Amino acid sequence: APYLRVDGKTGDIYTTETSIDRESLRECQHLLPGEPCFLEFEVSITDLILNSSPRLLEGQIEVLDINDNTPNFASPVLTLSIPQELFGLQVAEDQDEKQPQLIVMGNLDREQWDSYDLTIKVQDGGNPPRASSALLRITILDMNDNAPKFEKALYEAELSENSPVGHSVLQVKANDSDQGANAEIDYSFHQASDMVRRLLRLDRTTGLITVQGPIDREDVNVLKFSVMAKDKGANPKSARTQVVVTIKDMNDNAPSIEIRGIGLVTHQDGMANISEDVPVETAVALVQVSDRDEGENAVVTCVVAGDVPFQLRQASETGSDSKKKYFLQTTTPLDYESVKEYTIEIVAVDSGNPPLSSTNSLKVQVVDVNDNAPVFSQSYTEVAFPENNEPDDLVMEVSATDADSGSNAKLVYSLVTDPSSKGSFTIDPDSGEIRVKAVLDREQRERYEFLVVAADKGSPSLKGTASVAINVMDRNDNDPKFMLSGYNFSVMENMPPLSPVGMVTVIDADKGENARIQLSVEQDNGDFVIQNGTGTILSSISFDREQQSTYTFRLKAMDGGDPPRSAYVGVTINVLDENDNAPFITSPSNATYKHILPHTSPGQQVSKVKAEDIDSGVNAELTYSITGGNPFELFQISPHSGDITLEKEILRKHHGLHRLVVRVNDKGKPSRHGTALVHFYVNETLANRTLLDTLVGHSLDTPLDIDIAGDPEYERSKQRSNILFGVIAGIVAVTLVIVLVVLVRYCRQREAKSGYQAGKKETKDLYAPKQASKSGKSKSKVKKSKSPKPPKPTEDEEETGLQKSLKFNLMNDSVSDSPRIHLPLNYPPGSPDLGRHYRSNSPLPSIQLQPQSPSASKKHQVVQDLPATNTFVGTGDNNSTGSEQYSDYSYRTNPQKYTNKQVGELILRPAAAPPLNRGAIWTEVWE
């Protein structure tokens, strides 16, 4: 305003009858050439539908310049004296301005022509162009050929605003190399504005610029002008310099506070009217705070003074520190009944030193509305009312008040009930008395809740509510009732005494003592007790389903009314089975065996495992499996029936005793099991039952993780045969080599005729076991002979060859009569531990061959494994097998090893039962 207006409905912005003159606008008077001129405006926008606080929209309109000003000379007549004639005019641009220059085109002669009058015309570039002219009078003087020269091309200075008159600003100085009057300089303003000539004084002689008027930065912040220096010669010459004076700000302006109406809130004579029901943060005024100073002097802080429910909120983020806009808005709801009028004082303080402040105030009148709803003396009321009442009985009375007056304080009462209780109660609209219209039954409904409404007669009407709760009091008019007509509980056997076996639920439609139930066991024999309160039945005994599977008794429930009421119910306890019994093997016995002929066909049933479980249900369902003793997978058992069938054809290695470990599991959780040992004897006959009984007896002492199945030495006997043939072949080859060596040495000795028969001794040594000390001496004697020594196998080579069939053990002690056990070094993989069947209590007698010489025990002894058949055959016939393999314990002496000489007796005695996979040991002693 007053240049712009806005349409209140459309938001269109129009100009007014006040025209806009860019040159006269205060904001645009001190703009530099080329800088835009803006006219700022602000518009408030209020949403009438949402009734929200107004929003502030800020904008600016650029005022464009039109060519509405004519250029003018400073004087209609311009006088310039020059000594010559013949002139020309050219225009030069100097420091953003055009300077007309008069050019002398030829020689001038003051005596012939002492003055010239010229007309100079100036024209702008507008459309249409504007022009003016002036008379230039030229006087020809004597020659002055040196012009003054300023020390600086540009003079700059800072001047504090409010500087006193006479305060020195700066001094310009020019020098002229001429002498006399031609060197005297006169200083003057050149093209200076009226403001410069009004504020500053230039001493024409010294060039000192001083203050001669009030300096106010807010009017002008920079003074730009030129100073001309002209000498006093007959033909004066001049020079110009530029001067820029910057006005420094002083905190000489207090902040300005402008309070205007905003949105729908109008102001009149410094007062605003606002309804008390406006929402919080409603804007009542637009406050603009500005400071004409700059920098810290223009940083303004604005607050609301005093304890009033109003505050300032910044309305725009585009403002500067020197110009800010705020909404003056409410902080709490207004209440006409409490405060009818507010005087709001706004204080603005700048940040200068010292700071300056200003205040402005606004009066706000609160307009009364019907904003007080009726209020009940108690917002919640709870009463107790007995059931089986009489209709139209008085229940209670309610009352409410209204802080308003007149019709706004007159009240009308009504009830708001849910559909289920509609018509049960009524209220008097004037007195507030509440009465019951129906007979109440607590068992059907124990509590009624509804609202009592008090409405005033204001416009619009306001309402107040209160909650009413009516608790119906109980009377003992209902028997206790069990939830079921009979109870059946199932419990696991083996539960400890006082364990819960079931829970009954009994209800009583009454309440309080009328519904307090006492439970007891009828026909009480002490087996069961019941807990009052929880209805949990506890057992006084531990159940055993196998002894008793069902219990029955009766429970009594009696309430605490006067007189009391009671009810009865029957209870049955079913004892469920627990998997507390493992399967029991009924057949076969662990000490029995079943004879199987070698030609039995695969798929034929050979035995059956029978077992029982005294549990019931899945706990008694049994499954059968073979867990050990079946390395050849020769047998298979039915998991359901326990039938054992022969699965494969019986081979030679399957002959002998088989022990199956059969496991019988029930299907309980956790599962229990029993283990049966099923023995099978695979052979053509049962001639030696004593041996078989012994094998079965030892099987019972053998760990279950050790397999007993068939002939453990069958595979080993075949391996031994191959090894024996290899050893014999090696011995024959070695013997041939030794014989050749002996013959060669014998022939050489005879040729030497030494008479020493070394070859005979060498031959003997080759066939005899090595002697520790004597052999060493013999070797020394042989070394003395020059004849070559025959090749001889090393000890490692001999032992390697012999270990393929025999195990050597050097013993220093004499052979005693006690049994001796020598363990083999290796055994075929998977060999059964049949050695455990032959312990030291074996019925076999010791067989002993005494040596002929007492020194025989100190000679080499050979320890050899018995054949895999464990038949104690002294001949070492490992390959002899037959259908009567286990029928006897035979002994056959070895044939004579040397035909010409008996070197000793062979001692052979069976040792105590060797460990698993090991045959009996026999010892050969010779000299």
Side-chain angles (χ1 to χ4, degrees):
Y3 304 107
L4 304 175
R5 69 176 180 88
V6 62
D7 189 289
K9 295 182 179 180
T10 65
D12 295 332
I13 298 177
Y14 300 93
T15 58
T16 64
E17 58 274 4
T18 303
S19 62
I20 301 175
D21 185 7
R22 182 177 181 274
E23 288 74 25
S24 63
L25 290 176
R26 180 178 178 276
E27 295 85 352
C28 304
Q29 287 182 355
H30 304 293
L31 295 177
L32 297 177
E35 290 184 345
C37 173
F38 291 104
L39 184 63
E40 297 181 351
F41 66 91
E42 56 192 21
V43 177
S44 65
I45 303 174
T46 305
D47 193 330
L48 300 179
I49 298 177
L50 299 178
N51 194 22
S52 60
S53 297
R55 293 184 294 112
L56 185 66
L57 175 65
E58 294 180 307
Q60 57 186 11
I61 294 177
E62 182 179 0
V63 180
L64 302 177
D65 182 48
I66 62 173
N67 192 22
D68 58 346
N69 292 282
T70 302
N72 293 308
F73 286 98
S75 173
V77 177
L78 303 177
T79 302
L80 177 65
S81 297
I82 57 175
Q84 294 173 350
E85 58 183 10
L86 301 179
F87 311 104
L89 184 68
Q90 71 177 12
V91 179
E93 293 187 1
D94 183 15
Q95 297 183 359
D96 298 332
E97 66 177 354
K98 292 182 177 181
Q99 301 291 335
Q101 297 178 352
L102 186 65
I103 306 299
V104 178
M105 307 299 295
N107 294 326
L108 300 178
D109 188 357
R110 187 190 62 82
E111 286 73 21
Q112 293 181 2
W113 197 276
D114 61 352
S115 65
Y116 296 90
D117 289 338
L118 304 178
T119 300
I120 298 178
K121 180 181 179 180
V122 58
Q123 179 177 313
D124 62 20
N127 186 18
R130 292 177 176 269
S132 63
S133 62
L135 178 64
L136 175 63
R137 181 166 294 166
I138 302 173
T139 302
I140 307 300
L141 302 176
D142 290 336
M143 181 179 294
N144 182 18
D145 56 351
N146 291 293
K149 185 177 182 180
F150 282 96
E151 295 179 352
K152 296 180 181 181
L154 175 66
Y155 287 86
E156 293 180 319
E158 288 187 349
L159 177 63
S160 298
E161 66 173 332
N162 302 325
S163 296
V165 176
H167 178 75
S168 176
V169 179
L170 60 87
Q171 185 177 8
V172 297
K173 187 176 182 180
N175 299 314
D176 195 318
S177 60
D178 293 330
Q179 294 181 352
N182 293 330
E184 294 179 3
I185 298 176
D186 179 70
Y187 297 97
S188 63
F189 288 117
H190 177 70
Q191 292 184 348
S193 64
D194 293 339
M195 181 174 290
V196 172
R197 297 178 184 274
R198 186 176 69 249
L199 299 178
L200 301 179
R201 178 183 176 275
L202 176 62
D203 190 292
R204 301 182 67 89
T205 302
T206 63
L208 179 65
I209 300 175
T210 58
V211 177
Q212 72 174 2
I215 303 298
D216 189 356
R217 188 204 63 80
E218 288 70 37
D219 292 337
V220 58
N221 57 359
V222 177
L223 296 175
K224 292 183 179 181
F225 55 92
S226 298
V227 175
M228 177 180 288
K230 184 168 63 175
D231 62 23
K232 296 182 179 181
N235 187 17
K237 292 182 178 293
S238 63
R240 288 180 299 169
T241 186
Q242 195 75 16
V243 179
V244 178
V245 179
T246 303
I247 309 300
K248 291 176 58 178
D249 181 60
M250 300 294 291
N251 192 25
D252 58 345
N253 292 280
S256 173
I257 303 174
E258 182 182 359
I259 302 176
R260 305 194 299 270
I262 184 69
L264 302 180
V265 180
T266 59
H267 292 193
Q268 186 176 3
D269 299 330
M271 180 176 293
N273 296 323
I274 184 170
S275 177
E276 65 172 333
D277 60 350
V278 295
V280 177
E281 298 184 353
T282 297
V284 298
L286 178 65
V287 179
Q288 177 174 308
V289 181
S290 60
D291 196 313
R292 298 183 63 191
D293 295 322
E294 68 176 1
E296 289 294 325
N297 298 329
V299 178
V300 180
T301 301
C302 189
V303 295
V304 175
D307 185 13
V308 291
F310 296 90
Q311 67 177 5
L312 294 174
R313 179 174 63 86
Q314 191 166 344
S316 174
E317 299 293 337
T318 60
S320 62
D321 291 338
S322 62
K323 185 178 181 181
K324 295 182 179 180
K325 297 177 182 180
Y326 300 92
F327 285 129
L328 178 64
Q329 62 185 21
T330 60
T331 59
T332 60
L334 304 179
D335 187 4
Y336 174 82
E337 287 72 22
S338 299
V339 181
K340 295 178 175 58
E341 183 178 290
Y342 294 94
T343 299
I344 304 170
E345 185 176 3
I346 300 174
V347 180
V349 182
D350 63 22
S351 300
N353 187 15
L356 300 179
S357 63
S358 60
T359 60
N360 199 350
S361 61
L362 174 68
K363 286 187 177 180
V364 177
Q365 284 188 344
V366 182
V367 179
D368 182 39
V369 294
N370 185 24
D371 59 345
N372 290 286
V375 178
F376 284 88
S377 57
Q378 291 182 339
S379 61
Y380 178 78
T381 303
E382 186 171 358
V383 296
F385 191 76
E387 63 178 333
N388 302 326
N389 58 282
E390 293 294 332
D392 206 28
D393 283 348
L394 178 63
V395 179
M396 62 178 300
E397 183 178 353
V398 296
S399 63
T401 58
D402 195 315
D404 295 326
S405 60
S407 61
N408 295 333
K410 295 181 179 180
L411 305 180
V412 176
Y413 297 97
S414 61
L415 296 181
V416 178
T417 61
D418 58 79
S420 61
S421 58
K422 187 176 182 180
S424 299
F425 301 92
T426 59
I427 188 171
D428 188 284
D430 298 322
S431 64
E433 290 183 349
I434 300 176
R435 296 181 178 274
V436 62
K437 288 297 183 180
V439 178
L440 304 182
D441 185 0
R442 194 203 64 81
E443 287 72 35
Q444 294 182 0
R445 186 166 182 176
E446 186 176 2
R447 184 181 178 88
Y448 294 86
E449 292 182 353
F450 49 83
L451 293 178
V452 178
V453 180
D456 61 24
K457 296 183 178 180
S459 180
S461 177
L462 298 180
K463 299 178 180 180
T465 60
S467 297
V468 175
I470 298 177
N471 296 319
V472 182
M473 298 172 61
D474 181 60
R475 293 180 179 177
N476 192 21
D477 54 352
N478 293 280
D479 294 333
K481 182 179 180 181
F482 287 95
M483 294 299 295
L484 300 176
S485 59
Y487 288 89
N488 284 275
F489 299 108
S490 297
V491 297
M492 297 300 296
E493 62 176 330
N494 301 322
M495 290 177 57
L498 297 181
S499 296
V501 298
M503 179 181 292
V504 299
T505 303
V506 58
I507 59 175
D508 194 314
D510 294 325
K511 190 178 181 182
E513 289 296 326
N514 297 331
R516 191 179 303 276
I517 307 299
Q518 184 72 26
L519 295 172
S520 60
V521 178
E522 291 288 317
Q523 303 169 352
D524 187 8
N525 58 0
D527 290 345
F528 299 94
V529 294
I530 187 167
Q531 290 180 340
N532 283 293
T534 65
T536 302
I537 302 174
L538 305 177
S539 65
S540 301
I541 59 175
S542 179
F543 300 109
D544 187 353
R545 187 195 62 82
E546 286 73 25
Q547 294 183 5
Q548 184 174 348
S549 60
T550 303
Y551 297 84
T552 58
F553 53 88
R554 192 171 69 157
L555 294 179
K556 178 182 179 181
M558 184 172 62
D559 64 23
D562 186 18
R565 293 173 176 267
S566 60
Y568 298 87
V569 70
V571 179
T572 300
I573 306 295
N574 298 311
V575 182
L576 300 180
D577 181 55
E578 187 181 58
N579 193 21
D580 55 348
N581 294 281
F584 173 76
I585 310 300
T586 59
S587 67
S589 172
N590 289 343
T592 62
Y593 60 87
K594 183 70 174 293
H595 178 224
I596 299 178
L597 295 175
H599 54 79
T600 303
S601 302
Q604 183 176 346
Q605 179 177 345
V606 294
S607 184
K608 179 181 181 66
V609 177
K610 296 181 179 180
E612 296 180 356
D613 195 319
I614 62 175
D615 293 324
S616 63
V618 294
N619 297 331
E621 295 181 9
L622 305 180
T623 58
Y624 301 83
S625 61
I626 298 175
T627 61
N630 194 23
F632 304 112
E633 298 181 354
L634 193 60
F635 301 97
Q636 184 177 1
I637 190 169
S638 172
H640 303 294
S641 65
D643 294 338
I644 300 177
T645 57
L646 183 66
E647 286 297 305
K648 297 181 179 179
E649 182 180 356
I650 296 177
L651 304 179
R652 174 61 190 84
K653 62 181 179 180
H654 299 152
H655 288 207
L657 183 66
H658 292 258
R659 181 189 68 178
L660 297 184
V661 181
V662 177
R663 182 167 179 167
V664 183
N665 287 75
D666 60 25
K667 295 184 179 180
K669 292 185 179 180
S671 176
R672 293 177 176 268
H673 69 276
T675 303
L677 300 181
V678 182
H679 294 89
F680 294 106
Y681 182 63
V682 179
N683 206 5
E684 293 291 346
T685 65
L686 292 175
N688 195 342
R689 293 184 179 271
T690 303
L691 172 61
L692 188 55
D693 292 338
T694 303
L695 295 177
V696 173
H698 285 288
S699 170
L700 299 179
D701 297 331
T702 303
L704 298 182
D705 57 346
I706 299 175
D707 290 338
I708 299 177
D711 185 358
E713 293 292 335
Y714 176 75
E715 295 294 334
R716 191 189 305 173
S717 62
K718 294 194 295 184
Q719 297 176 1
R720 283 207 187 103
S721 298
N722 297 332
I723 294 173
L724 182 58
F725 288 133
V727 171
I728 293 174
I731 292 175
V732 171
V734 171
T735 303
L736 291 176
V737 172
I738 293 174
V739 170
L740 291 176
V741 171
V742 171
L743 291 177
V744 172
R745 293 184 62 184
Y746 176 74
C747 292
R748 288 182 180 179
Q749 288 177 355
R750 291 191 60 180
E751 290 175 1
K753 297 181 181 181
S754 62
Y756 175 65
Q757 298 181 359
K760 187 175 183 179
K761 182 172 179 58
E762 290 293 333
T763 305
K764 181 179 180 181
D765 291 339
L766 288 173
Y767 288 93
K770 294 181 181 180
Q771 304 292 329
S773 59
K774 295 179 180 181
S775 298
K777 295 179 181 180
S778 300
K779 290 178 181 179
S780 299
K781 293 178 181 180
V782 174
K783 288 181 181 178
K784 293 179 181 180
S785 176
K786 296 182 179 180
S787 59
K789 189 175 180 179
K792 185 176 182 180
T794 61
E795 293 180 3
D796 293 339
E797 292 174 348
E798 291 178 351
E799 185 175 356
T800 302
L802 293 176
Q803 281 182 347
K804 294 180 180 179
S805 60
L806 303 176
K807 308 291 183 180
F808 286 92
N809 182 20
L810 299 180
M811 305 180 60
N812 296 325
D813 298 333
S814 59
V815 178
S816 63
D817 295 334
S818 61
R820 188 178 306 244
I821 301 175
H822 301 281
L823 303 179
L825 299 179
N826 47 42
Y827 313 100
S831 300
D833 189 3
L834 294 181
R836 289 180 59 91
H837 299 314
Y838 311 102
R839 298 185 180 275
S840 58
N841 58 354
S842 173
L844 300 180
S846 298
I847 304 174
Q848 191 173 28
L849 296 178
Q850 298 296 337
Q852 294 179 352
S853 173
S855 62
S857 61
K858 297 183 179 179
K859 301 298 181 179
H860 287 80
Q861 298 180 2
V862 179
V863 181
Q864 178 181 349
D865 289 347
L866 277 179
T869 56
N870 289 321
T871 56
F872 295 93
V873 179
T875 60
D877 186 8
N878 296 334
N879 295 324
S880 60
T881 57
S883 60
E884 296 298 324
Q885 180 177 350
Y886 296 95
S887 61
D888 59 2
Y889 300 88
S890 59
Y891 165 73
R892 287 177 289 179
T893 59
N894 289 323
Q896 291 185 357
K897 196 169 188 180
Y898 305 99
T899 58
N900 297 327
K901 183 179 179 180
Q902 178 69 38
V903 296
E905 289 184 342
L906 178 66
I907 300 176
L908 179 64
R909 64 170 59 90
L916 177 64
N917 297 335
R918 294 162 175 80
I921 307 300
W922 58 275
T923 304
E924 205 174 36
V925 183
W926 72 89
E927 183 177 23

